[in-house]
Amino acid sequence: MINLKRLLCVACFLLYSYVSLNAQADSVIVTYRDLSLKKKVKINGRLQFGFIPSENKYILAANNFDKLPHYFKRMRIIEASTSNKISFSRNDSYEFAMPLIVQQVAEMQIDTTFNSKPEYINRNLQGYQLQAIRYFKGKHASSFYKDNWIPLFDFTSKDKENKLALQVRKFFSKNAVYRTDKLPVSFAPKLPAIDTSKCDPIDRFYRLRKMNGYGLNKFKYKTYRPIERQIIREEFEVYFDKNSSDAKREDVQKVIDYLRNNDYSILSASIEGYTSLEGEEERNSKLQVKRANVLINILQRYNNEPIKLDTLIVRPAYEQFLECIRHTSFKWLDSLSNDSIRLLLNSENKLLKSVEPYFTTQRKAVLKLVMVKRLNSTEVFERFKSDFRYWESKLNPKLIGDKKPQEVEAMVLGMIDYLFSLLETGIISVEEYTQVIEQTKSYDALRVLIVYHKLMEFEKTAKIKSLNNLEYLRNNKFDNLLLAGQTSLVSLMVNKEYKPYQDKFKRQLVDMQSYMFEFVQKEWLPMEILCSISYPQDYLFWGYILNKLAFLQYLTRFKEVSCEPMKSEPWTRYKNYTDSWLDEVQANRTGKNGIFHVPAQKYVASFGTPTHSPYLYYLKVLYVNNKGSVAPYISMSDDFREFDLYTLAEYHVTRWNPFENYYADSEVQLMEMNKIIKQLKITQRLICKRDVNELYLEYHLKVLHYMSIYYEPGNVQYTEIVQQSLKFIGNYYTKYAELITPRLSVYILHQLNNFHWMPGKYEGTWYARSILKSISTKRELTNDENYLHEKYLIFYR
């Protein structure tokens, strides 16, 4: 009888024991069904012969059967080389297996080092002896028997190259024959991603604002008029000297005297400017715009309210000029087109000098003023404050009354614009401005609108003017502004009175964050502002904390970040796969003839020192430490969870050494990594496929290597993870079969052959066969590939 240690070698994949004992091992025994069963018989389980070289002994084991099938009534093993036959029954298998299972269970129950928690083991093994009876009688048994290699019989042979056949019978009817053969194997330390997807790095934080932010375009302004009074409209003609932007003093004085004598105040102004026909039209238009601005600035000195330039119309004075010369000797010019007149005047100096007197009357601007009777500045400001208090209080949904939220917001924004105009024109002081804001009832909601007003002003100014953004942001104290806006939004989001507006506030907080990220990335604002800002440790703000930490971690690609020590490597574009990748892998292999030495014993789990990264820690809290589904809490603020999951998975997978049972963090081991990978596969949309596929291949290959040593018999989750890994690797290379070179093909197929002992419905060779079948439809197979192809056709008819 085989001792327990040898049985466990079978249960934990006999092949790997064999490789570790024999460095020259280069093949695996494959057991396959040679004769089909009756159609009504459905087989999900697998039989496998394993060979122990030191004892010249074969062991027959079953896997993925939840019961031993009824057709396994009589079994016979036949040696091909000697024709020796050994028959045994189900009862013989039970007698052979039971002592070994008892010992295996005893060791599992006391082994707290390599097995699951005791409560899981006890629950999984509960009543295992009765379950064994059920299993061998052909009745459904527990998962311990399905997700395990159950020994059925052993067979001693002196010829280790011997081929065996297993006949299974039910009464007098032969049902099937299982045969053994060998397939070449090798060790793959890693697998390459070969897809050629072209992709550029995604600016996650820019897309965040576009997709999940509230946006500046949602805001409308209703222009504020401080007092309802009788409107007076009047027109004035103001003349200018040739090539001068300064209005004639007497014309300007007329306007000023009119305002003073009547005690009027200007509300708005429209200007129609006329350019004379000499000179370049574009230059003349710019001159008229300058004249209009100079004129408004002069009038502003005599007005106690900001003057809004509603309309500026600039047009050449063709009609006026022609009207002046209609009864003169120059009336012949009226028969020419406008362009011809301009061309002629600018080419004939004599003609130009002759008509100069007529041009003098055209160099003017028609100033159209909308005015009201003037109040003193104190009266205007007091009336404004009264109106402002009325409207800003209605930002609170409990005080809004019969007004619509959009109407209230538009009115308040118009008043904010007016208030800033008073401040910027020096009509009120900074202290007066501050007093108005701090005495409001809806302080936080108002402060949010102020931030949006300044953001809209920035966007508008940046487009119109060529300005120094850094200087502009500093002068307007955008660092304090954005901090204040976010602080107010946090207060509003937790304030029950504002609950009807909570979704809007969530999106507005995305806007605030995104603008801050943009300004910090462009170095318009200091990075320390992000390190200092904090959000409540509440589900409502998880996404915003995640955004901030993710952005800080992203910045480490370009600079040192004091509050995020985990550095991220700059993004690099992948090169298409070539076999030079295999040369690099071969150069790093250990062992003779490229055969890797799997550890002869298990390692106790060991762990690294976790990186003290706030981002990494927070990802672990969200996605690993049983905080429930985080998606509902962060989807409003961040629709790009795959980037976070990818960072978390990449950190732990790349640092995991499956052979030495080493993890980067004791809280993120196999089951936790599998949980992260599953979530990433569900959410991935924007990450480059090549990136995630490379990560998935590394993870799934490491899983299979880990399971070759540390698989726990009867563990359903382990079996599922094994099957997931085989399926991903198999499907990936099947999909990109046309890109697989002959060298890479052999490299992959030999490793999958090496995973023939993996538990579950499908073995590694099954997926190897699928890959090779796909390759054969894309190109002609090499001799090595044809050898494998012929074998697979026999194994999987």
Side-chain angles (χ1 to χ4, degrees):
M1 182 182 295
I2 299 177
N3 59 35
L4 178 61
K5 185 176 181 180
R6 286 302 180 196
L7 172 64
L8 292 176
C9 286
V10 173
C12 296
F13 311 118
L14 182 63
L15 172 63
Y16 285 87
S17 258
Y18 174 36
V19 173
S20 66
L21 292 170
N22 184 355
Q24 301 305 316
D26 59 358
S27 61
V28 63
I29 298 172
V30 178
T31 304
Y32 62 96
R33 195 173 72 245
D34 189 42
L35 181 63
S36 298
L37 293 162
K38 296 177 181 178
K39 290 184 180 179
K40 66 179 182 179
V41 177
K42 185 178 180 180
I43 295 181
N44 289 322
R46 295 158 51 200
L47 292 177
Q48 180 64 28
F49 279 101
F51 183 65
I52 302 177
S54 60
E55 301 179 15
N56 286 324
K57 183 169 291 187
Y58 287 93
I59 292 181
L60 176 65
N63 176 258
N64 204 51
F65 288 110
D66 57 0
K67 62 181 179 180
L68 199 61
H70 287 292
Y71 57 83
F72 279 53
K73 289 291 184 181
R74 294 285 185 272
M75 291 165 276
R76 178 186 294 171
I77 299 174
I78 304 172
E79 284 188 289
S81 60
T82 64
S83 298
N84 186 26
K85 300 178 181 179
I86 297 179
S87 299
F88 59 98
S89 65
R90 300 167 72 95
N91 289 335
D92 294 329
S93 291
Y94 174 79
E95 295 295 331
F96 168 74
M98 205 57 211
L100 302 175
I101 293 174
V102 169
Q103 293 181 54
Q104 184 184 53
V105 169
E107 289 207 3
M108 288 181 66
Q109 288 174 329
I110 63 174
D111 184 0
T112 59
T113 303
F114 297 106
N115 293 320
S116 300
K117 297 178 180 179
E119 57 268 24
Y120 174 82
I121 292 292
N122 293 333
R123 184 172 65 252
N124 196 32
L125 299 179
Q126 189 175 15
Y128 76 91
Q129 290 177 316
L130 292 176
Q131 294 295 323
I133 295 173
R134 292 181 59 83
Y135 179 84
F136 282 97
K137 283 189 174 182
K139 298 179 180 180
H140 290 286
S142 66
S143 62
F144 175 75
Y145 292 89
K146 181 179 181 181
D147 297 291
N148 194 359
W149 283 101
I150 302 299
L152 301 180
F153 212 70
D154 65 349
F155 176 79
T156 303
S157 174
K158 295 181 180 179
D159 184 3
K160 66 179 181 180
E161 300 297 330
N162 196 9
K163 290 187 177 182
L164 305 178
L166 171 69
Q167 296 178 346
V168 293
R169 299 171 180 272
K170 180 180 179 182
F171 299 111
F172 299 104
S173 173
K174 183 167 70 172
N175 286 274
V177 174
Y178 291 83
R179 300 189 186 281
T180 63
D181 205 335
K182 286 189 175 182
L183 282 177
V185 299
S186 64
F187 170 79
K190 53 185 176 179
L191 295 171
I194 59 175
D195 47 307
T196 56
S197 55
K198 296 181 179 179
C199 50
D200 294 315
I202 298 294
D203 188 340
R204 162 188 180 176
F205 306 101
Y206 172 78
R207 292 174 67 102
L208 176 64
R209 183 168 80 235
K210 294 297 183 184
M211 294 180 66
N212 281 17
Y214 186 71
L216 303 186
N217 60 340
K218 297 273 197 342
F219 294 97
K220 306 298 180 186
Y221 284 77
K222 184 175 178 62
T223 304
Y224 174 70
R225 303 295 185 190
I227 300 174
E228 294 293 336
R229 291 161 287 182
Q230 182 182 3
I231 302 297
I232 298 98
R233 292 180 171 82
E234 190 62 67
E235 293 185 6
F236 302 89
E237 289 187 346
V238 180
Y239 289 86
F240 298 85
D241 290 329
K242 184 177 181 179
N243 295 328
S244 173
S245 61
D246 295 326
K248 291 191 175 182
R249 186 175 184 82
E250 60 270 22
D251 294 335
V252 175
Q253 192 63 42
K254 287 180 183 178
V255 179
I256 294 172
D257 291 343
Y258 179 82
L259 294 172
R260 284 176 173 172
N261 294 337
N262 294 283
D263 202 18
Y264 288 158
S265 178
I266 300 172
L267 291 179
S268 65
S270 298
I271 297 176
E272 291 184 6
Y274 296 92
T275 62
S276 57
L277 306 185
E278 79 275 25
E280 296 180 0
E281 184 174 356
E282 182 179 355
R283 177 182 175 279
N284 290 341
S285 296
K286 289 182 179 180
L287 181 60
Q288 281 295 75
V289 172
K290 189 174 181 181
R291 287 170 175 173
N293 290 329
V294 169
L295 190 57
I296 292 297
N297 289 337
I298 293 173
L299 294 177
Q300 182 65 70
R301 300 173 197 166
Y302 303 94
N303 208 58
N304 64 343
E305 299 176 42
I307 299 176
K308 295 290 184 181
L309 180 59
D310 288 342
T311 309
L312 173 61
I313 300 173
V314 179
R315 56 168 66 107
Y318 287 109
E319 292 182 8
Q320 291 81 353
F321 173 71
L322 294 175
E323 181 65 27
C324 290
I325 65 170
R326 185 160 295 162
H327 302 291
T328 70
S329 60
F330 301 105
K331 63 181 180 180
W332 57 273
L333 290 171
D334 194 12
S335 63
L336 303 178
S337 66
N338 290 342
D339 289 340
S340 299
I341 293 172
R342 178 178 289 276
L343 180 62
L344 184 62
L345 290 173
N346 287 291
S347 59
E348 296 288 343
N349 289 332
K350 185 177 180 180
L351 176 63
L352 185 61
K353 289 180 180 180
S354 300
V355 297
E356 171 61 26
Y358 304 109
F359 284 151
T360 302
T361 63
Q362 311 306 317
R363 297 187 185 104
K364 67 178 180 178
V366 178
L367 178 63
K368 298 180 180 181
L369 299 181
V370 178
M371 299 166 289
V372 295
K373 184 161 180 66
R374 182 192 301 273
L375 297 178
N376 64 53
S377 58
T378 302
E379 291 174 322
V380 171
F381 192 45
E382 287 301 319
R383 182 59 185 268
F384 165 78
K385 288 194 290 185
S386 176
D387 292 343
F388 191 56
R389 282 192 294 270
Y390 171 81
W391 283 102
E392 64 82 14
S393 66
K394 296 185 179 299
L395 291 171
N396 186 325
K398 288 188 175 297
L399 303 176
I400 193 171
D402 60 350
K403 304 294 184 183
K404 295 181 179 180
Q406 297 86 348
E407 177 190 359
V408 173
E409 198 171 72
M411 283 297 301
V412 174
L413 278 170
M415 290 180 168
I416 290 172
D417 184 42
Y418 179 81
L419 184 62
F420 272 106
S421 297
L422 294 177
L423 178 64
E424 290 163 2
T425 55
I427 295 173
I428 63 172
S429 65
V430 174
E431 289 75 19
E432 288 176 305
Y433 163 84
T434 304
Q435 187 180 39
V436 170
I437 299 301
E438 291 184 348
Q439 290 180 351
T440 54
K441 294 181 180 179
S442 306
Y443 177 74
D444 287 319
L446 177 64
R447 198 158 62 163
V448 169
L449 290 181
I450 290 173
V451 175
Y452 270 105
H453 171 72
K454 297 302 288 184
L455 287 173
M456 287 185 282
E457 186 181 74
F458 168 77
E459 293 284 9
K460 181 180 179 180
T461 307
K463 289 179 180 177
I464 295 175
K465 298 181 179 179
S466 176
L467 50 78
N468 185 327
N469 289 321
L470 177 59
E471 182 180 352
Y472 182 88
L473 294 179
R474 285 178 178 172
N475 291 341
N476 285 272
K477 298 181 179 178
F478 262 74
D479 48 354
N480 295 334
L481 198 67
L482 290 171
L483 277 174
Q486 293 187 67
T487 302
S488 291
L489 280 169
V490 168
S491 298
L492 291 168
M493 288 167 66
V494 298
N495 189 331
K496 293 181 180 179
E497 290 186 347
Y498 288 87
K499 192 171 182 60
Y501 301 158
Q502 191 177 85
D503 284 347
K504 179 175 78 170
F505 293 149
K506 287 179 180 178
R507 295 191 180 277
Q508 288 178 341
L509 188 50
V510 172
D511 282 343
M512 300 277 184
Q513 274 198 328
S514 299
Y515 271 104
M516 183 175 282
F517 294 162
E518 179 184 344
F519 295 162
V520 169
Q521 185 174 355
K522 293 178 178 178
E523 297 185 341
W524 295 345
L525 293 180
M527 181 184 60
E528 288 70 27
I529 189 175
L530 283 177
C531 292
S532 64
I533 194 170
S534 62
Y535 303 96
Q537 290 295 326
D538 181 89
Y539 287 169
L540 194 60
F541 299 96
W542 275 1
Y544 305 101
I545 298 173
L546 200 58
N547 290 344
K548 184 193 99 168
L549 296 177
F551 181 73
L552 286 169
Q553 207 274 330
Y554 167 77
L555 284 183
T556 63
R557 296 182 180 186
F558 315 104
K559 62 180 73 174
E560 292 294 325
V561 179
S562 59
C563 53
E564 177 50 64
M566 185 176 75
K567 185 173 177 60
S568 179
E569 295 299 323
W571 186 86
T572 55
R573 189 177 300 278
Y574 279 102
K575 297 180 180 179
N576 290 341
Y577 170 83
T578 64
D579 281 342
S580 62
W581 182 92
L582 283 171
D583 296 330
E584 294 175 8
V585 171
Q586 184 68 34
N588 294 326
R589 278 192 178 184
T590 58
K592 297 179 179 179
N593 301 321
I595 301 297
F596 180 85
H597 290 267
V598 176
Q601 62 181 16
K602 296 181 179 181
Y603 283 88
V604 176
S606 59
F607 311 99
T609 302
T611 302
H612 295 292
S613 161
Y615 179 49
L616 195 63
Y617 170 79
Y618 199 70
L619 292 180
K620 186 172 69 173
V621 169
L622 289 182
Y623 297 111
V624 177
N625 292 353
N626 299 319
K627 287 294 183 182
S629 174
V630 300
Y633 303 106
I634 69 174
S635 59
M636 181 65 74
S637 59
D638 185 355
D639 201 24
F640 308 106
R641 287 187 300 137
E642 64 262 45
F643 292 100
D644 302 310
L645 286 164
Y646 178 83
T647 299
L648 183 63
E650 195 265 347
Y651 176 84
H652 289 284
V653 169
T654 56
R655 288 162 177 78
W656 177 31
N657 185 334
F659 299 106
E660 296 181 4
N661 206 7
Y662 169 85
Y663 301 91
D665 187 339
S666 61
E667 292 185 311
V668 185
Q669 299 186 40
L670 173 61
M671 300 308 297
E672 290 75 22
M673 277 191 281
N674 194 62
K675 177 181 176 182
I676 297 166
I677 291 291
K678 277 187 173 181
Q679 291 182 75
L680 179 57
K681 287 182 178 179
I682 293 172
T683 59
Q684 70 171 75
R685 295 169 299 128
L686 300 174
I687 302 178
C688 179
K689 288 184 178 179
R690 181 71 174 267
D691 287 350
V692 289
N693 285 335
E694 185 175 62
L695 178 64
Y696 295 153
L697 288 169
E698 180 175 5
Y699 167 72
H700 289 304
L701 181 63
K702 284 186 173 181
V703 162
L704 296 173
H705 285 316
Y706 177 84
M707 292 297 186
S708 70
I709 307 168
Y710 298 99
Y711 180 82
E712 181 182 291
N715 192 319
V716 179
Q717 292 177 313
Y718 276 21
T719 301
E720 290 175 352
I721 293 173
V722 164
Q723 289 297 307
Q724 290 168 12
S725 297
L726 286 172
K727 183 177 181 180
F728 180 85
I729 293 172
N731 290 352
Y732 176 80
Y733 287 114
T734 298
K735 180 178 179 179
Y736 297 107
E738 72 277 5
L739 302 176
I740 301 178
T741 65
R743 281 187 64 191
L744 181 59
S745 169
V746 172
Y747 175 83
I748 295 169
L749 298 176
H750 283 194
Q751 175 60 84
L752 288 175
N753 291 343
N754 219 346
F755 291 138
H756 185 71
W757 274 90
M758 288 294 165
K761 185 175 181 180
Y762 298 107
E763 59 271 36
T765 48
W766 193 90
Y767 287 102
R769 167 252 190 187
S770 298
I771 294 172
L772 192 54
K773 182 179 178 181
S774 295
I775 293 174
S776 67
T777 65
K778 307 297 180 183
R779 61 171 171 80
E780 187 176 347
L781 300 181
T782 64
N783 291 336
D784 289 339
E785 290 173 322
N786 270 317
Y787 170 78
L788 290 171
H789 192 247
E790 291 172 3
K791 292 281 188 180
Y792 294 150
L793 288 176
I794 297 172
F795 298 164
Y796 304 102
R797 294 180 177 179

